[in-house]
Amino acid sequence: MKQPWFLPLLICTIGALQACDEKKEVANAEQSPAESGPPAGAEPAAFAQHEKHFDLWEHAHLAEIDHQGLYIELGTPARHKFTFGEWRSGWGKEGATSADRFNYAVGDSSRIYFFSEKAEPLTLRMRMKPVGTQVVTPYMNNQALPAVKLTGTDFKDYDVAVAADKVVAGENRLMFRFGGTVEQDGEARAAAVASVRVIKGTPAAGTFAPPHFAELRAEQSVGGTQRRALAVRSPTTLTYYLDIPKDAKLGFGVGIAGQKGAPTGKGATARVTVTPEGGTSKELLRAELKTTWRDEVLDLKAFAGKLCRVELAIEGDVGSGRAAWSTPMILLPKKELPKLPKTAKNVIVVLIDTQRARSLKAFNPGAREQTPAIDAIAKEGAVLEATQAPENWTKPSTASVLTGLYPATHGAKTDGALLSSGAILMGESFKAAGFKTAGYIANGYVSDKFGFDQGWDKYTNYIREKKSTHAESVFKDAGDWIEKNKDTRFFAYIHTIDPHVPYDPPDEFLSLYAKGEYSGQIAPRKTAEQLENAKRSPPKITLTDADKQRLKDLYSGLVSYHDHYLGLFVQRMKKLGLWEDTIFVITADHGEEMNEHNSWGHGHTVYQDLLWIPYVVRFPGVVPAGTRIKQATSSQSIFATVTEAAGVPAPNTLEAPSLLSWLRGGAQNPMPVAFSDFLDDRRVIRSGRWKFILRGLNMTFFDLQTDPTEQKELDRNKYPIAARYTTIMLGQFLGARDRRVWLKGEQGQGTKLEKQNATIDETLREQLKAIGYAGDEPAKDTN
């Protein structure tokens, strides 16, 4: 049944109302006395000359706290960076008592990951209480430590000594192995763990006041001026791992709070040190603390474009007060972007199924493929050089583009998964705003059968309707529809599939690459089946060097064939007078492996050949021609970007922000990272040149700058800052309750969609086989 015309508008209206409520919930969840905001003029005067880029006070949960040892506090937002956001690390629900916040250790083992600068003797002080067991055996880097007997029913501190030979310089893996569990509240609980303190050597005698996260952020008065501050006892080092943008500065005030006149202590020092990945540490400040604010704006230009460890350290005796770091933040030169000169009248998004970024000159100057149409569009717009696909196959990745949701949120991750009707698709937002909307889609997974027929005035799935999927047909049909609707505002989503198997380009395009005669076993219409057989273990067919080259030639021919008809489509838009008033986006759902790792196709690994995709935005008069974004981005941001460009309200559900300001020359995202999934098996983060893959308990790390095809796995401990930064960001993301604000600390609940499965009948199965799908869930590889 065709949905009523007003339904999308109603959905967006309800979404906007929910947005207000949800934003209030998030704000209330994070509200503390300090968060009502500092008094007017309480920030350092020098801040007024700069733009606030990243507030370290607001993101205090990202800081590692070392106060007489590294303090790892469970049950708080600060835990995610040590537990990978509880993803497969053995941690369950949070709990709280009057004195402790904690997480339940669930199952037979739980894990914590922390950094140590040296391989040196340590003491682990574990604050636990028994639930399902009274015995816990710690393991440090897979080496057993003495077992601990938990006594009583309340939290107690238990110390375990760790010899230097069990500690590594770099990331250490602490595992707790438990003797048993009990079922409580749907979990198999072994113990409750409030904190783990990692102490160098032997703990000092005397009392210890834990640096609780809840006490870190506060309003502090120094010299009669009250400010938001991070309040710490001495000695304490707060360590942040940050991506430093160009022209950045570190601004803050520092002083002794709670005292008047001369300090009551014997003298304390504030120290700021920055260490870039692969470089040497540089001390930017060492100053005596006083009972008045010392305001600083420190230049970070030497660290621009690098991942850095930033340490805010207090040493010495502060007396009866506390040291306070007021409003610490990364600042940028103040730059007022002019008002958006125009809004896009029309929006066209072209998603090229299976298009590798590596096979386009705009992304890889050494690419052999001839793509003059894409080259020209890229020169006239912005090229986002390091864009990651949300997943490595069509359905989940396309669902993220069309909903702006991460795969873990929309749930359309498996072969039979149905995209929930509760998800708001891009077309629905444009339709609610009065646009004519059309989807021309040549992949059977992006079909009505799987919930993608939402929000379209005109919807065509070429597989389901048994039409030609060739670019010539798809672009012609889309162009015909646009011509009929050229006098109204329109949104067109065009999903082509030509670089996908079966590889069968017309001879005129194959001849651009295939030189000489070929008499091998590769048959263009059978390439889907042949590639499946070639990548099996053991392989059912063995490919010769000539066969491998033939496959690459066929793929390249299809890339050029598609580009030819894309070019004709663009010419048609120009003749219709639509080209200059339209925001035009080119992307892909995923790439294709061409034997870079002894395999072919997609849907089986998370190497860059599958995850690195094109992302080009042309919006004349708004996005400057020749713009190039080198930091990591995601195609998931397209929804927010094109709706902003068109002046259309975006739904509150979007989990990836608009990049329009950045594309216009504004500041980069504070933490420019991109995340990818593969089913429930792997989680990936990319930050610039660095890529980290988490697969269960296994970790893989690559430097894409020196090794773009990922041939050499790196020892993470040799790149401690990049490794720790990606661990913290991935942990924070995996632990987020609300992925819209994944970088924040305390969060409300984000979007929840009902999980459903579609039935793949024999007709659909045959239709999917026709374009190279076996109709089964994408295979899991052993790489």
Side-chain angles (χ1 to χ4, degrees):
M1 180 183 296
K2 185 176 178 61
Q3 67 182 23
W5 66 269
F6 57 81
L7 183 56
L9 181 60
L10 180 61
I11 290 171
C12 283
T13 303
I14 292 172
L17 293 173
Q18 289 175 336
C20 295
D21 292 339
E22 289 168 359
K23 286 178 181 176
K24 288 178 183 176
E25 288 175 11
V26 172
N28 290 338
E30 295 189 352
Q31 189 75 13
S32 69
E35 279 203 82
S36 59
E43 290 182 351
F47 283 22
Q49 304 170 25
H50 299 83
E51 177 180 310
K52 299 171 187 177
H53 181 64
F54 189 72
D55 190 327
L56 303 186
W57 185 90
E58 289 183 355
H59 296 87
H61 55 285
L62 300 180
E64 296 183 345
I65 303 175
D66 191 314
H67 173 61
Q68 300 177 18
L70 176 65
Y71 190 70
I72 302 171
E73 189 173 16
L74 280 292
T76 76
R79 73 185 183 272
H80 296 313
K81 58 185 174 287
F82 301 109
T83 65
F84 281 118
E86 295 76 74
W87 191 73
R88 297 192 173 186
S89 58
W91 298 103
K93 295 175 183 176
E94 303 165 38
T97 67
S98 58
D100 295 279
R101 293 177 67 171
F102 60 87
N103 275 81
Y104 288 106
V106 295
D108 63 357
S109 62
S110 297
R111 295 167 178 81
I112 283 174
Y113 303 83
F114 68 90
F115 176 80
S116 177
E117 194 167 354
K118 299 177 182 178
E120 58 185 335
L122 301 174
T123 298
L124 301 177
R125 178 162 290 176
M126 308 171 298
R127 186 164 180 79
M128 297 183 174
K129 72 174 182 179
V131 177
T133 184
Q134 292 185 320
V135 177
V136 56
T137 303
Y139 287 75
M140 180 70 82
N141 300 314
N142 297 321
Q143 300 182 74
L145 303 175
V148 174
K149 182 174 177 59
L150 306 181
T151 60
T153 58
D154 293 326
F155 282 100
K156 294 182 180 179
D157 290 333
Y158 302 90
D159 285 4
V160 175
V162 186
D165 62 358
K166 292 182 172 61
V167 181
V168 300
E171 185 173 78
N172 289 265
R173 306 182 184 192
L174 172 61
M175 180 178 72
F176 300 123
R177 181 78 73 181
F178 299 100
T181 62
V182 295
E183 288 290 326
Q184 288 185 351
D185 197 20
E187 292 184 327
R189 295 173 175 171
V193 184
S195 62
V196 175
R197 189 172 154 215
V198 182
I199 305 165
K200 296 178 181 179
T202 303
T207 60
F208 172 75
H212 289 304
F213 176 75
E215 300 171 1
L216 179 61
R217 299 192 303 179
E219 291 273 4
Q220 294 291 331
S221 179
V222 174
T225 301
Q226 186 167 296
R227 296 177 179 173
R228 294 180 305 157
L230 302 175
V232 298
R233 300 177 181 87
S234 182
T236 294
T237 299
L238 302 176
T239 300
Y240 288 87
Y241 291 81
L242 303 172
D243 187 323
I244 306 298
K246 181 181 177 183
D247 299 324
K249 295 183 183 340
L250 175 63
F252 58 88
V254 65
I256 299 176
Q259 297 181 18
K260 294 181 180 180
T264 60
K266 297 178 180 178
T269 300
R271 178 173 52 83
V272 176
T273 306
V274 180
T275 308
E277 174 57 63
T280 56
S281 298
K282 184 175 181 180
E283 187 173 271
L284 301 187
L285 175 75
R286 181 181 288 269
E288 181 183 354
L289 279 183
K290 297 182 179 181
T291 55
T292 55
W293 290 117
R294 178 191 178 109
D295 294 333
E296 295 283 350
V297 176
L298 306 178
D299 200 327
L300 299 177
K301 64 182 179 181
F303 310 103
K306 299 177 182 178
L307 297 183
C308 294
R309 181 170 62 233
V310 178
E311 296 170 290
L312 308 178
I314 301 295
E315 301 164 343
D317 182 7
V318 299
S320 59
R322 288 196 183 189
W325 297 92
S326 81
T327 56
M329 61 181 67
I330 301 298
L331 302 169
L332 292 176
K334 184 167 284 188
K335 183 178 181 180
E336 294 287 343
L337 279 179
K339 183 180 178 182
L340 197 67
K342 66 177 183 179
T343 55
K345 179 184 176 184
N346 310 304
V347 177
I348 299 175
V349 175
V350 175
L351 187 147
I352 312 169
D353 205 301
T354 322
Q355 176 62 66
R356 294 156 47 106
R358 203 183 304 283
S359 294
L360 297 174
K361 287 184 175 61
F363 297 86
N364 173 23
R368 67 170 185 160
E369 285 80 1
Q370 298 179 34
T371 54
I374 291 178
D375 295 347
I377 296 167
K379 288 177 182 177
E380 295 173 2
V383 174
L384 295 95
E385 298 180 3
T387 298
Q388 295 290 105
E391 284 225 22
N392 64 6
W393 69 290
T394 299
K395 189 198 294 184
S397 190
T398 304
S400 287
V401 170
L402 291 176
T403 65
L405 303 176
Y406 288 103
T409 301
H410 65 62
K413 293 170 62 69
T414 61
D415 182 67
L418 181 70
L419 181 60
S420 171
S421 59
I424 301 174
L425 273 66
M426 205 183 301
E428 292 179 280
S429 287
F430 281 108
K431 187 174 175 64
F435 282 60
K436 291 291 185 180
T437 61
Y440 288 88
I441 301 165
N443 189 303
Y445 272 115
V446 189
S447 70
D448 57 327
K449 192 69 174 179
F450 297 108
F452 287 88
D453 57 337
Q454 302 179 44
W456 311 106
D457 292 311
K458 173 65 176 177
Y459 175 78
T460 299
N461 187 282
Y462 289 80
I463 296 296
R464 298 285 287 155
E465 298 175 25
K466 300 181 180 179
K467 296 180 178 179
S468 169
T469 61
H470 298 314
E472 179 178 4
S473 300
V474 178
F475 280 125
K476 180 184 181 303
D477 291 347
D480 289 346
W481 180 85
I482 287 172
E483 185 167 356
K484 290 178 182 177
N485 293 278
K486 66 183 178 64
D487 296 326
T488 65
R489 300 187 79 184
F490 65 81
F491 163 61
Y493 173 70
I494 305 171
H495 186 138
T496 52
I497 200 172
D498 300 272
H500 197 288
V501 288
Y503 301 150
D504 191 13
D507 288 342
E508 64 179 293
F509 295 98
L510 176 59
S511 65
L512 296 173
Y513 309 101
K515 308 302 179 184
E517 294 295 323
Y518 171 76
S519 58
Q521 62 185 317
I522 297 301
R525 297 308 301 173
K526 294 182 178 179
T527 46
E529 178 184 353
Q530 288 178 319
L531 290 186
E532 282 299 315
N533 289 333
K535 70 181 183 181
R536 290 185 180 274
S537 182
K540 286 190 174 182
I541 65 171
T542 301
L543 301 176
T544 66
D545 289 344
D547 295 335
K548 295 174 183 178
Q549 187 58 52
R550 185 66 170 183
L551 288 165
K552 295 176 182 178
D553 293 342
L554 290 168
Y555 178 86
S556 296
L558 284 172
V559 170
S560 292
Y561 162 78
H562 178 276
D563 187 78
H564 173 74
Y565 285 99
L566 172 62
L568 294 180
F569 175 77
V570 169
Q571 290 301 318
R572 188 173 183 182
M573 295 301 101
K574 291 178 179 179
K575 289 180 181 179
L576 291 172
L578 301 171
W579 190 233
E580 297 307 308
D581 290 330
T582 297
I583 182 169
F584 193 86
V585 178
I586 298 173
T587 192
D589 52 351
H590 56 77
E592 188 87 327
E593 193 167 2
M594 305 298 290
N595 200 42
E596 285 84 0
H597 296 90
N598 300 314
S599 191
W600 302 82
H602 56 269
H604 57 280
T605 74
V606 288
Y607 290 122
Q608 287 302 93
D609 302 289
L610 275 65
L611 295 183
W612 182 28
I613 57 173
Y615 190 174
V616 178
V617 180
R618 183 188 184 276
F619 188 11
V622 176
V623 175
T627 297
R628 299 191 74 89
I629 302 295
K630 298 183 180 297
Q631 292 87 348
T633 56
S634 172
S635 57
Q636 189 179 318
S637 65
I638 291 172
F639 194 154
T641 301
V642 296
T643 49
E644 183 184 1
V648 170
N652 173 58
T653 54
L654 299 189
E655 293 176 337
S658 170
L659 303 184
L660 190 59
S661 175
W662 193 359
L663 294 173
R664 295 180 62 208
Q668 70 177 44
N669 289 347
M671 294 294 180
V673 296
F675 304 101
S676 303
D677 286 6
F678 180 35
L679 302 174
D680 287 327
D681 188 47
R682 268 152 283 188
R683 298 294 180 263
V684 180
I685 179 173
R686 179 178 181 181
S687 173
R689 65 190 286 184
W690 307 103
K691 179 179 177 182
F692 175 36
I693 303 169
L694 182 62
R695 184 180 184 184
L697 303 179
N698 299 315
M699 304 175 195
T700 311
F701 198 60
F702 293 103
D703 179 355
L704 300 177
Q705 180 172 296
T706 61
D707 180 26
T709 58
E710 297 161 287
Q711 301 298 317
K712 182 181 178 182
E713 295 184 14
L714 300 178
D715 179 352
R716 281 164 40 87
N717 289 337
K718 292 182 179 179
Y719 306 88
I721 293 172
R724 190 68 193 139
Y725 174 86
T726 52
T727 292
I728 290 171
M729 292 297 105
L730 184 57
Q732 184 62 30
F733 175 73
L734 293 176
R737 293 193 186 101
D738 186 346
R739 297 183 184 93
R740 295 171 301 176
V741 289
W742 65 268
L743 198 53
K744 286 186 175 290
E746 301 278 10
Q747 299 174 0
Q749 183 60 57
T751 302
K752 286 284 189 181
L753 296 174
E754 182 182 358
K755 301 294 191 293
Q756 293 179 306
N757 284 329
T759 301
I760 301 180
D761 55 34
E762 194 57 35
T763 298
L764 178 57
R765 195 176 301 278
E766 290 302 317
Q767 290 173 337
L768 293 173
K769 283 183 179 180
I771 57 167
Y773 289 109
D776 299 318
E777 187 174 291
K780 296 182 181 181
D781 77 319
T782 56
N783 292 334

PDB file of all heavy atoms in Angstrom, residues 329-341:
ATOM      1  N   MET A 329      41.576  23.639  26.660  1.00  0.00           N
ATOM      2  CA  MET A 329      40.988  23.302  25.366  1.00  0.00           C
ATOM      3  C   MET A 329      41.960  23.577  24.230  1.00  0.00           C
ATOM      4  O   MET A 329      42.911  24.352  24.368  1.00  0.00           O
ATOM      5  CB  MET A 329      39.687  24.055  25.139  1.00  0.00           C
ATOM      6  CG  MET A 329      39.780  25.555  25.116  1.00  0.00           C
ATOM      7  SD  MET A 329      38.152  26.315  24.878  1.00  0.00           S
ATOM      8  CE  MET A 329      37.316  25.877  26.414  1.00  0.00           C
ATOM      9  N   ILE A 330      41.693  22.871  23.114  1.00  0.00           N
ATOM     10  CA  ILE A 330      42.413  23.136  21.885  1.00  0.00           C
ATOM     11  C   ILE A 330      41.723  24.300  21.194  1.00  0.00           C
ATOM     12  O   ILE A 330      40.509  24.305  21.004  1.00  0.00           O
ATOM     13  CB  ILE A 330      42.429  21.899  20.968  1.00  0.00           C
ATOM     14  CG1 ILE A 330      43.081  20.708  21.687  1.00  0.00           C
ATOM     15  CG2 ILE A 330      43.160  22.207  19.660  1.00  0.00           C
ATOM     16  CD1 ILE A 330      44.527  20.918  22.071  1.00  0.00           C
ATOM     17  N   LEU A 331      42.508  25.309  20.847  1.00  0.00           N
ATOM     18  CA  LEU A 331      41.995  26.520  20.223  1.00  0.00           C
ATOM     19  C   LEU A 331      42.502  26.635  18.792  1.00  0.00           C
ATOM     20  O   LEU A 331      43.598  26.153  18.466  1.00  0.00           O
ATOM     21  CB  LEU A 331      42.451  27.749  21.010  1.00  0.00           C
ATOM     22  CG  LEU A 331      42.067  27.810  22.483  1.00  0.00           C
ATOM     23  CD1 LEU A 331      42.818  28.933  23.177  1.00  0.00           C
ATOM     24  CD2 LEU A 331      40.568  27.992  22.644  1.00  0.00           C
ATOM     25  N   LEU A 332      41.729  27.275  17.938  1.00  0.00           N
ATOM     26  CA  LEU A 332      42.118  27.559  16.569  1.00  0.00           C
ATOM     27  C   LEU A 332      41.933  29.047  16.299  1.00  0.00           C
ATOM     28  O   LEU A 332      41.169  29.718  17.011  1.00  0.00           O
ATOM     29  CB  LEU A 332      41.267  26.753  15.587  1.00  0.00           C
ATOM     30  CG  LEU A 332      41.477  25.241  15.577  1.00  0.00           C
ATOM     31  CD1 LEU A 332      40.499  24.578  14.620  1.00  0.00           C
ATOM     32  CD2 LEU A 332      42.908  24.871  15.211  1.00  0.00           C
ATOM     33  N   PRO A 333      42.604  29.563  15.289  1.00  0.00           N
ATOM     34  CA  PRO A 333      42.375  30.975  14.948  1.00  0.00           C
ATOM     35  C   PRO A 333      40.902  31.218  14.643  1.00  0.00           C
ATOM     36  O   PRO A 333      40.258  30.389  13.989  1.00  0.00           O
ATOM     37  CB  PRO A 333      43.233  31.174  13.694  1.00  0.00           C
ATOM     38  CG  PRO A 333      44.280  30.121  13.771  1.00  0.00           C
ATOM     39  CD  PRO A 333      43.625  28.949  14.428  1.00  0.00           C
ATOM     40  N   LYS A 334      40.390  32.313  15.135  1.00  0.00           N
ATOM     41  CA  LYS A 334      38.979  32.616  14.898  1.00  0.00           C
ATOM     42  C   LYS A 334      38.769  32.858  13.410  1.00  0.00           C
ATOM     43  O   LYS A 334      39.469  33.651  12.785  1.00  0.00           O
ATOM     44  CB  LYS A 334      38.558  33.830  15.716  1.00  0.00           C
ATOM     45  CG  LYS A 334      37.073  34.144  15.606  1.00  0.00           C
ATOM     46  CD  LYS A 334      36.646  35.151  16.660  1.00  0.00           C
ATOM     47  CE  LYS A 334      36.530  34.502  18.025  1.00  0.00           C
ATOM     48  NZ  LYS A 334      35.929  35.417  19.035  1.00  0.00           N
ATOM     49  N   LYS A 335      37.809  32.127  12.855  1.00  0.00           N
ATOM     50  CA  LYS A 335      37.549  32.233  11.419  1.00  0.00           C
ATOM     51  C   LYS A 335      36.048  32.161  11.197  1.00  0.00           C
ATOM     52  O   LYS A 335      35.436  31.111  11.390  1.00  0.00           O
ATOM     53  CB  LYS A 335      38.259  31.103  10.658  1.00  0.00           C
ATOM     54  CG  LYS A 335      38.102  31.179   9.155  1.00  0.00           C
ATOM     55  CD  LYS A 335      38.883  30.059   8.477  1.00  0.00           C
ATOM     56  CE  LYS A 335      38.762  30.140   6.974  1.00  0.00           C
ATOM     57  NZ  LYS A 335      39.517  29.038   6.299  1.00  0.00           N
ATOM     58  N   GLU A 336      35.476  33.263  10.825  1.00  0.00           N
ATOM     59  CA  GLU A 336      34.041  33.311  10.585  1.00  0.00           C
ATOM     60  C   GLU A 336      33.767  32.934   9.137  1.00  0.00           C
ATOM     61  O   GLU A 336      34.157  33.652   8.215  1.00  0.00           O
ATOM     62  CB  GLU A 336      33.507  34.715  10.876  1.00  0.00           C
ATOM     63  CG  GLU A 336      33.595  35.142  12.329  1.00  0.00           C
ATOM     64  CD  GLU A 336      32.574  34.437  13.206  1.00  0.00           C
ATOM     65  OE1 GLU A 336      31.607  33.869  12.654  1.00  0.00           O
ATOM     66  OE2 GLU A 336      32.762  34.450  14.435  1.00  0.00           O
ATOM     67  N   LEU A 337      33.145  31.780   8.939  1.00  0.00           N
ATOM     68  CA  LEU A 337      32.747  31.425   7.583  1.00  0.00           C
ATOM     69  C   LEU A 337      31.602  32.331   7.151  1.00  0.00           C
ATOM     70  O   LEU A 337      30.695  32.609   7.942  1.00  0.00           O
ATOM     71  CB  LEU A 337      32.277  29.967   7.526  1.00  0.00           C
ATOM     72  CG  LEU A 337      33.338  28.875   7.452  1.00  0.00           C
ATOM     73  CD1 LEU A 337      32.671  27.517   7.420  1.00  0.00           C
ATOM     74  CD2 LEU A 337      34.243  29.043   6.257  1.00  0.00           C
ATOM     75  N   PRO A 338      31.647  32.817   5.916  1.00  0.00           N
ATOM     76  CA  PRO A 338      30.518  33.629   5.455  1.00  0.00           C
ATOM     77  C   PRO A 338      29.240  32.800   5.435  1.00  0.00           C
ATOM     78  O   PRO A 338      29.268  31.574   5.385  1.00  0.00           O
ATOM     79  CB  PRO A 338      30.939  34.036   4.034  1.00  0.00           C
ATOM     80  CG  PRO A 338      31.953  33.021   3.622  1.00  0.00           C
ATOM     81  CD  PRO A 338      32.659  32.610   4.875  1.00  0.00           C
ATOM     82  N   LYS A 339      28.132  33.499   5.509  1.00  0.00           N
ATOM     83  CA  LYS A 339      26.850  32.828   5.433  1.00  0.00           C
ATOM     84  C   LYS A 339      26.775  32.001   4.161  1.00  0.00           C
ATOM     85  O   LYS A 339      27.317  32.386   3.131  1.00  0.00           O
ATOM     86  CB  LYS A 339      25.727  33.873   5.449  1.00  0.00           C
ATOM     87  CG  LYS A 339      24.330  33.280   5.452  1.00  0.00           C
ATOM     88  CD  LYS A 339      23.274  34.385   5.474  1.00  0.00           C
ATOM     89  CE  LYS A 339      21.878  33.783   5.427  1.00  0.00           C
ATOM     90  NZ  LYS A 339      20.830  34.842   5.411  1.00  0.00           N
ATOM     91  N   LEU A 340      26.141  30.834   4.250  1.00  0.00           N
ATOM     92  CA  LEU A 340      26.011  29.969   3.088  1.00  0.00           C
ATOM     93  C   LEU A 340      25.454  30.783   1.924  1.00  0.00           C
ATOM     94  O   LEU A 340      24.337  31.319   2.019  1.00  0.00           O
ATOM     95  CB  LEU A 340      25.079  28.793   3.416  1.00  0.00           C
ATOM     96  CG  LEU A 340      25.136  27.585   2.482  1.00  0.00           C
ATOM     97  CD1 LEU A 340      26.477  26.888   2.596  1.00  0.00           C
ATOM     98  CD2 LEU A 340      24.013  26.610   2.817  1.00  0.00           C
ATOM     99  N   PRO A 341      26.225  30.933   0.832  1.00  0.00           N
ATOM    100  CA  PRO A 341      25.794  31.828  -0.247  1.00  0.00           C
ATOM    101  C   PRO A 341      24.534  31.372  -0.964  1.00  0.00           C
ATOM    102  O   PRO A 341      23.827  32.179  -1.549  1.00  0.00           O
ATOM    103  CB  PRO A 341      26.999  31.841  -1.196  1.00  0.00           C
ATOM    104  CG  PRO A 341      27.744  30.584  -0.887  1.00  0.00           C
ATOM    105  CD  PRO A 341      27.536  30.326   0.570  1.00  0.00           C
TER     106      PRO A 341
END
